mmCIF file of all heavy atoms in Angstrom:
data_model
loop_
_atom_site.group_PDB
_atom_site.id
_atom_site.type_symbol
_atom_site.label_atom_id
_atom_site.label_comp_id
_atom_site.label_asym_id
_atom_site.label_seq_id
_atom_site.Cartn_x
_atom_site.Cartn_y
_atom_site.Cartn_z
ATOM 1 N N GLY A 1 -92.768 -6.792 -4.288
ATOM 2 C CA GLY A 1 -92.194 -8.094 -4.645
ATOM 3 C C GLY A 1 -90.811 -8.294 -4.079
ATOM 4 O O GLY A 1 -90.499 -9.354 -3.531
ATOM 5 N N ASN A 2 -89.943 -7.283 -4.164
ATOM 6 C CA ASN A 2 -88.574 -7.412 -3.662
ATOM 7 C C ASN A 2 -88.542 -7.523 -2.142
ATOM 8 O O ASN A 2 -87.738 -8.289 -1.576
ATOM 9 C CB ASN A 2 -87.733 -6.223 -4.131
ATOM 10 C CG ASN A 2 -87.289 -6.353 -5.569
ATOM 11 O OD1 ASN A 2 -87.040 -7.450 -6.056
ATOM 12 N ND2 ASN A 2 -87.202 -5.241 -6.277
ATOM 13 N N ALA A 3 -89.401 -6.771 -1.451
ATOM 14 C CA ALA A 3 -89.421 -6.831 0.018
ATOM 15 C C ALA A 3 -89.866 -8.198 0.494
ATOM 16 O O ALA A 3 -89.245 -8.792 1.405
ATOM 17 C CB ALA A 3 -90.361 -5.744 0.561
ATOM 18 N N ILE A 4 -90.916 -8.749 -0.098
ATOM 19 C CA ILE A 4 -91.413 -10.062 0.313
ATOM 20 C C ILE A 4 -90.420 -11.157 -0.087
ATOM 21 O O ILE A 4 -90.194 -12.116 0.663
ATOM 22 C CB ILE A 4 -92.801 -10.323 -0.295
ATOM 23 C CG1 ILE A 4 -93.798 -9.325 0.299
ATOM 24 C CG2 ILE A 4 -93.251 -11.756 -0.046
ATOM 25 C CD1 ILE A 4 -95.195 -9.421 -0.270
ATOM 26 N N ALA A 5 -89.792 -11.017 -1.247
ATOM 27 C CA ALA A 5 -88.758 -11.982 -1.655
ATOM 28 C C ALA A 5 -87.625 -12.016 -0.630
ATOM 29 O O ALA A 5 -87.129 -13.080 -0.278
ATOM 30 C CB ALA A 5 -88.229 -11.628 -3.041
ATOM 31 N N GLY A 6 -87.212 -10.829 -0.152
ATOM 32 C CA GLY A 6 -86.151 -10.747 0.843
ATOM 33 C C GLY A 6 -86.518 -11.440 2.146
ATOM 34 O O GLY A 6 -85.685 -12.089 2.782
ATOM 35 N N ILE A 7 -87.767 -11.343 2.542
ATOM 36 C CA ILE A 7 -88.222 -11.992 3.784
ATOM 37 C C ILE A 7 -88.066 -13.505 3.685
ATOM 38 O O ILE A 7 -87.708 -14.174 4.650
ATOM 39 C CB ILE A 7 -89.691 -11.614 4.079
ATOM 40 C CG1 ILE A 7 -89.785 -10.121 4.418
ATOM 41 C CG2 ILE A 7 -90.264 -12.457 5.209
ATOM 42 C CD1 ILE A 7 -91.204 -9.612 4.558
ATOM 43 N N PHE A 8 -88.320 -14.055 2.504
ATOM 44 C CA PHE A 8 -88.287 -15.506 2.321
ATOM 45 C C PHE A 8 -86.976 -16.028 1.753
ATOM 46 O O PHE A 8 -86.855 -17.209 1.429
ATOM 47 C CB PHE A 8 -89.449 -15.939 1.430
ATOM 48 C CG PHE A 8 -90.787 -15.847 2.089
ATOM 49 C CD1 PHE A 8 -91.575 -14.719 1.932
ATOM 50 C CD2 PHE A 8 -91.245 -16.863 2.918
ATOM 51 C CE1 PHE A 8 -92.799 -14.616 2.548
ATOM 52 C CE2 PHE A 8 -92.471 -16.772 3.547
ATOM 53 C CZ PHE A 8 -93.261 -15.644 3.378
ATOM 54 N N GLY A 9 -85.970 -15.144 1.612
ATOM 55 C CA GLY A 9 -84.649 -15.618 1.184
ATOM 56 C C GLY A 9 -84.380 -15.502 -0.297
ATOM 57 O O GLY A 9 -83.504 -16.208 -0.816
ATOM 58 N N GLY A 10 -85.078 -14.624 -0.993
ATOM 59 C CA GLY A 10 -84.850 -14.432 -2.422
ATOM 60 C C GLY A 10 -84.110 -13.135 -2.694
ATOM 61 O O GLY A 10 -84.236 -12.171 -1.937
ATOM 62 N N ILE A 11 -83.327 -13.114 -3.761
ATOM 63 C CA ILE A 11 -82.607 -11.893 -4.117
ATOM 64 C C ILE A 11 -83.534 -10.961 -4.894
ATOM 65 O O ILE A 11 -84.476 -11.410 -5.544
ATOM 66 C CB ILE A 11 -81.346 -12.212 -4.961
ATOM 67 C CG1 ILE A 11 -81.737 -12.896 -6.286
ATOM 68 C CG2 ILE A 11 -80.370 -13.056 -4.182
ATOM 69 C CD1 ILE A 11 -80.567 -13.134 -7.208
ATOM 70 N N PRO A 12 -83.305 -9.642 -4.810
ATOM 71 C CA PRO A 12 -84.167 -8.695 -5.527
ATOM 72 C C PRO A 12 -83.906 -8.705 -7.022
ATOM 73 O O PRO A 12 -82.861 -9.164 -7.485
ATOM 74 C CB PRO A 12 -83.796 -7.354 -4.902
ATOM 75 C CG PRO A 12 -82.388 -7.518 -4.431
ATOM 76 C CD PRO A 12 -82.277 -8.961 -4.003
ATOM 77 N N GLY A 13 -84.878 -8.195 -7.767
ATOM 78 C CA GLY A 13 -84.738 -8.164 -9.213
ATOM 79 C C GLY A 13 -85.511 -6.990 -9.792
ATOM 80 O O GLY A 13 -85.860 -6.048 -9.084
ATOM 81 N N ALA A 14 -85.827 -7.092 -11.087
ATOM 82 C CA ALA A 14 -86.490 -5.980 -11.770
ATOM 83 C C ALA A 14 -87.184 -6.510 -13.014
ATOM 84 O O ALA A 14 -87.022 -7.668 -13.396
ATOM 85 C CB ALA A 14 -85.465 -4.918 -12.149
ATOM 86 N N GLY A 15 -87.960 -5.633 -13.651
ATOM 87 C CA GLY A 15 -88.563 -6.003 -14.914
ATOM 88 C C GLY A 15 -87.478 -6.261 -15.955
ATOM 89 O O GLY A 15 -86.520 -5.507 -16.068
ATOM 90 N N ALA A 16 -87.627 -7.338 -16.697
ATOM 91 C CA ALA A 16 -86.602 -7.751 -17.665
ATOM 92 C C ALA A 16 -87.145 -7.636 -19.082
ATOM 93 O O ALA A 16 -88.235 -8.159 -19.373
ATOM 94 C CB ALA A 16 -86.153 -9.182 -17.385
ATOM 95 N N THR A 17 -86.388 -6.963 -19.932
ATOM 96 C CA THR A 17 -86.855 -6.713 -21.306
ATOM 97 C C THR A 17 -87.063 -8.009 -22.087
ATOM 98 O O THR A 17 -88.094 -8.190 -22.730
ATOM 99 C CB THR A 17 -85.859 -5.808 -22.050
ATOM 100 O OG1 THR A 17 -85.697 -4.594 -21.327
ATOM 101 C CG2 THR A 17 -86.362 -5.499 -23.443
ATOM 102 N N ALA A 18 -86.101 -8.930 -22.014
ATOM 103 C CA ALA A 18 -86.183 -10.164 -22.807
ATOM 104 C C ALA A 18 -87.420 -10.984 -22.439
ATOM 105 O O ALA A 18 -88.145 -11.456 -23.321
ATOM 106 C CB ALA A 18 -84.923 -10.985 -22.612
ATOM 107 N N THR A 19 -87.651 -11.144 -21.138
ATOM 108 C CA THR A 19 -88.798 -11.948 -20.705
ATOM 109 C C THR A 19 -90.118 -11.247 -20.983
ATOM 110 O O THR A 19 -91.108 -11.885 -21.360
ATOM 111 C CB THR A 19 -88.687 -12.269 -19.217
ATOM 112 O OG1 THR A 19 -88.487 -11.055 -18.470
ATOM 113 C CG2 THR A 19 -87.529 -13.195 -18.938
ATOM 114 N N THR A 20 -90.134 -9.919 -20.820
ATOM 115 C CA THR A 20 -91.370 -9.164 -21.078
ATOM 116 C C THR A 20 -91.735 -9.215 -22.556
ATOM 117 O O THR A 20 -92.903 -9.443 -22.906
ATOM 118 C CB THR A 20 -91.199 -7.700 -20.619
ATOM 119 O OG1 THR A 20 -90.959 -7.684 -19.200
ATOM 120 C CG2 THR A 20 -92.446 -6.891 -20.922
ATOM 121 N N VAL A 21 -90.754 -9.014 -23.420
ATOM 122 C CA VAL A 21 -91.013 -9.075 -24.860
ATOM 123 C C VAL A 21 -91.458 -10.485 -25.257
ATOM 124 O O VAL A 21 -92.385 -10.649 -26.074
ATOM 125 C CB VAL A 21 -89.766 -8.653 -25.662
ATOM 126 C CG1 VAL A 21 -89.953 -8.918 -27.146
ATOM 127 C CG2 VAL A 21 -89.450 -7.183 -25.424
ATOM 128 N N THR A 22 -90.829 -11.506 -24.682
ATOM 129 C CA THR A 22 -91.245 -12.893 -24.966
ATOM 130 C C THR A 22 -92.686 -13.110 -24.558
ATOM 131 O O THR A 22 -93.469 -13.749 -25.288
ATOM 132 C CB THR A 22 -90.341 -13.870 -24.195
ATOM 133 O OG1 THR A 22 -88.996 -13.719 -24.634
ATOM 134 C CG2 THR A 22 -90.786 -15.306 -24.427
ATOM 135 N N ASN A 23 -93.068 -12.593 -23.407
ATOM 136 C CA ASN A 23 -94.442 -12.718 -22.934
ATOM 137 C C ASN A 23 -95.418 -12.089 -23.912
ATOM 138 O O ASN A 23 -96.421 -12.707 -24.306
ATOM 139 C CB ASN A 23 -94.575 -12.049 -21.552
ATOM 140 C CG ASN A 23 -95.972 -12.088 -21.016
ATOM 141 O OD1 ASN A 23 -96.706 -13.059 -21.185
ATOM 142 N ND2 ASN A 23 -96.372 -11.017 -20.353
ATOM 143 N N ILE A 24 -95.105 -10.860 -24.353
ATOM 144 C CA ILE A 24 -96.002 -10.141 -25.267
ATOM 145 C C ILE A 24 -96.072 -10.850 -26.620
ATOM 146 O O ILE A 24 -97.154 -11.054 -27.167
ATOM 147 C CB ILE A 24 -95.531 -8.683 -25.429
ATOM 148 C CG1 ILE A 24 -95.617 -7.945 -24.095
ATOM 149 C CG2 ILE A 24 -96.380 -7.973 -26.486
ATOM 150 C CD1 ILE A 24 -94.956 -6.579 -24.117
ATOM 151 N N LYS A 25 -94.909 -11.204 -27.169
ATOM 152 C CA LYS A 25 -94.867 -11.840 -28.485
ATOM 153 C C LYS A 25 -95.550 -13.211 -28.489
ATOM 154 O O LYS A 25 -96.038 -13.675 -29.517
ATOM 155 C CB LYS A 25 -93.412 -11.994 -28.948
ATOM 156 C CG LYS A 25 -92.681 -10.682 -29.193
ATOM 157 C CD LYS A 25 -93.263 -9.917 -30.357
ATOM 158 C CE LYS A 25 -92.432 -8.673 -30.677
ATOM 159 N NZ LYS A 25 -93.000 -7.885 -31.784
ATOM 160 N N SER A 26 -95.584 -13.856 -27.308
ATOM 161 C CA SER A 26 -96.219 -15.170 -27.206
ATOM 162 C C SER A 26 -97.728 -15.065 -26.987
ATOM 163 O O SER A 26 -98.420 -16.091 -26.966
ATOM 164 C CB SER A 26 -95.593 -15.981 -26.069
ATOM 165 O OG SER A 26 -94.214 -16.176 -26.286
ATOM 166 N N GLY A 27 -98.226 -13.854 -26.772
ATOM 167 C CA GLY A 27 -99.670 -13.675 -26.630
ATOM 168 C C GLY A 27 -100.140 -13.095 -25.323
ATOM 169 O O GLY A 27 -101.329 -12.871 -25.131
ATOM 170 N N GLY A 28 -99.222 -12.851 -24.363
ATOM 171 C CA GLY A 28 -99.615 -12.323 -23.067
ATOM 172 C C GLY A 28 -100.147 -10.901 -23.175
ATOM 173 O O GLY A 28 -99.523 -10.046 -23.813
ATOM 174 N N THR A 29 -101.317 -10.657 -22.564
ATOM 175 C CA THR A 29 -101.924 -9.334 -22.649
ATOM 176 C C THR A 29 -102.355 -8.783 -21.294
ATOM 177 O O THR A 29 -102.627 -7.586 -21.177
ATOM 178 C CB THR A 29 -103.168 -9.349 -23.566
ATOM 179 O OG1 THR A 29 -104.093 -10.345 -23.087
ATOM 180 C CG2 THR A 29 -102.780 -9.679 -25.005
ATOM 181 N N THR A 30 -102.447 -9.619 -20.269
ATOM 182 C CA THR A 30 -102.923 -9.154 -18.968
ATOM 183 C C THR A 30 -101.963 -9.589 -17.855
ATOM 184 O O THR A 30 -100.981 -10.295 -18.099
ATOM 185 C CB THR A 30 -104.324 -9.726 -18.641
ATOM 186 O OG1 THR A 30 -104.203 -11.113 -18.283
ATOM 187 C CG2 THR A 30 -105.258 -9.592 -19.829
ATOM 188 N N ARG A 31 -102.295 -9.186 -16.623
ATOM 189 C CA ARG A 31 -101.479 -9.531 -15.464
ATOM 190 C C ARG A 31 -101.442 -11.042 -15.214
ATOM 191 O O ARG A 31 -100.531 -11.551 -14.575
ATOM 192 C CB ARG A 31 -102.031 -8.840 -14.211
ATOM 193 C CG ARG A 31 -102.028 -7.336 -14.303
ATOM 194 C CD ARG A 31 -102.624 -6.709 -13.049
ATOM 195 N NE ARG A 31 -102.757 -5.265 -13.222
ATOM 196 C CZ ARG A 31 -101.776 -4.404 -13.043
ATOM 197 N NH1 ARG A 31 -100.577 -4.843 -12.662
ATOM 198 N NH2 ARG A 31 -101.962 -3.112 -13.227
ATOM 199 N N ILE A 32 -102.458 -11.731 -15.717
ATOM 200 C CA ILE A 32 -102.512 -13.187 -15.525
ATOM 201 C C ILE A 32 -101.278 -13.867 -16.110
ATOM 202 O O ILE A 32 -100.799 -14.865 -15.572
ATOM 203 C CB ILE A 32 -103.794 -13.781 -16.162
ATOM 204 C CG1 ILE A 32 -105.046 -13.121 -15.561
ATOM 205 C CG2 ILE A 32 -103.843 -15.283 -15.977
ATOM 206 C CD1 ILE A 32 -105.200 -13.355 -14.077
ATOM 207 N N SER A 33 -100.726 -13.310 -17.171
ATOM 208 C CA SER A 33 -99.538 -13.918 -17.791
ATOM 209 C C SER A 33 -98.372 -13.902 -16.814
ATOM 210 O O SER A 33 -97.604 -14.871 -16.726
ATOM 211 C CB SER A 33 -99.156 -13.185 -19.075
ATOM 212 O OG SER A 33 -98.880 -11.811 -18.828
ATOM 213 N N GLY A 34 -98.205 -12.821 -16.056
ATOM 214 C CA GLY A 34 -97.160 -12.742 -15.044
ATOM 215 C C GLY A 34 -97.376 -13.726 -13.924
ATOM 216 O O GLY A 34 -96.434 -14.360 -13.425
#
């Protein structure tokens, strides 16, 4: 993800606890949620 983002002009990042917990608490269970 970071390598392809860099090719198209995006800054690198990482898994984020706040967003991941929000996803799970809201009902996300599979990769489709991402």
Side-chain angles (χ1 to χ4, degrees):
N2 282 327
I4 295 177
I7 293 173
F8 289 95
I11 61 176
T17 303
T19 52
T20 298
V21 171
T22 298
N23 178 37
I24 297 170
K25 295 294 186 182
S26 300
T29 56
T30 75
R31 299 178 187 277
I32 302 297
S33 60

